[in-house]
Amino acid sequence: MAGDRRRMSSPGEVLRFVARSSKRIAVSVVGAAFVAAGLALLVLPGPGIIVIAIGFAILGTEYAWAAAALERTKRTAEQAGRAARSGAGAAVRGTTRGARAAGRRLRPGAAPPDEGAS
């Protein structure tokens, strides 16, 4: 039954393991904190996507899956930026067209239409 016995770790071995793993532990804790804060900022006022990307960049120094997630986050942010720019441009164009149309309906010197007449 000697094979069933588990080797007891001495405190020195545990400390050496923690010292060797401290960078990975620190990266994991800090990166996870950034990702969690970024997720919270998606519903609260603040730059959620940017904070999530920073968290994935931190985690990506130690984990390959986090580097891949960072790339997906970058692509999503670029798509959102393009959609926002095109949407803002459409809103400006729509507002300009509406203002022009209203200007055509109101001739200079003419009285505005009576909207609340009873």
Side-chain angles (χ1 to χ4, degrees):
M1 305 270 173
D4 289 342
R5 290 186 191 168
R6 296 190 185 258
R7 188 172 151 228
M8 299 293 267
S9 298
S10 70
E13 290 174 339
V14 171
L15 287 175
R16 279 192 296 278
F17 172 76
V18 170
R20 284 193 312 261
S21 303
S22 62
K23 179 184 179 231
R24 188 174 193 131
I25 292 168
V27 165
S28 299
V29 169
V30 172
F34 268 86
V35 171
L39 290 173
L41 288 174
L42 289 176
V43 294
L44 299 171
I49 295 278
I50 295 170
V51 176
I52 290 172
I54 291 170
F56 282 140
I58 293 168
L59 289 170
T61 62
E62 290 291 323
Y63 302 103
W65 62 265
L70 175 62
E71 292 304 316
R72 283 193 305 274
T73 303
K74 284 181 184 177
R75 284 194 305 271
T76 302
E78 288 171 0
Q79 290 171 353
R82 283 194 299 273
R85 281 191 295 275
S86 68
V92 168
R93 288 189 299 274
T95 303
T96 304
R97 288 182 190 137
R100 286 183 187 150
R104 286 188 209 122
R105 286 189 295 249
L106 292 175
R107 291 176 298 219
D114 191 16
E115 294 178 7
S118 19

